[in-house]
Amino acid sequence: MYIYLLQAYRQQLSTLEREINQLAAQLEEYELIKSIPGIGEKIVATILSEIELFNHPKNLVAFESLYPVCLNQIALKERKIT
């Protein structure tokens, strides 16, 4: 019985992942973000879902750890504070 539930959940999850990827692919930023090395469909969808939470592109980049210089600048600022 539990194996059938697990299979049903996996099927539902696969369906949801496909739908999320299809919706994300419709956005104009999709191909740009996907062109970043190491970024796949799941990460693109995650970034696109979070992008509205940030008021400036640098904040998003630093949050997603896509640009090491931003992280280095944050680390330097933290060292100066302490």
Side-chain angles (χ1 to χ4, degrees):
M1 177 176 154
Y2 292 114
I3 193 79
Y4 296 116
L5 285 174
L6 181 59
Q7 289 172 339
Y9 288 142
R10 285 184 176 174
Q11 186 176 18
Q12 287 177 340
L13 182 60
S14 294
T15 301
L16 289 172
E17 286 177 343
R18 271 193 309 276
E19 289 177 12
I20 289 169
N21 291 338
Q22 288 172 351
L23 288 171
Q26 294 175 8
L27 300 172
E28 63 184 67
E29 298 91 350
Y30 180 84
E31 289 300 325
L32 178 64
I33 296 172
K34 193 172 177 194
S35 69
I36 299 170
I39 302 292
E41 290 180 340
K42 288 182 182 180
I43 300 298
V44 172
T46 302
I47 291 171
L48 289 172
S49 70
E50 296 172 348
I51 209 162
E52 293 181 7
L53 300 174
F54 299 92
N55 58 358
H56 194 277
K58 286 184 181 180
N59 296 341
L60 173 67
V61 169
F63 178 77
E64 295 294 345
S65 302
L66 298 175
Y67 193 55
V69 172
C70 289
L71 296 176
N72 289 337
Q73 289 174 351
I74 292 169
L76 289 174
K77 287 180 185 177
E78 288 175 355
R79 287 184 195 153
K80 290 180 183 177
I81 293 173
T82 57

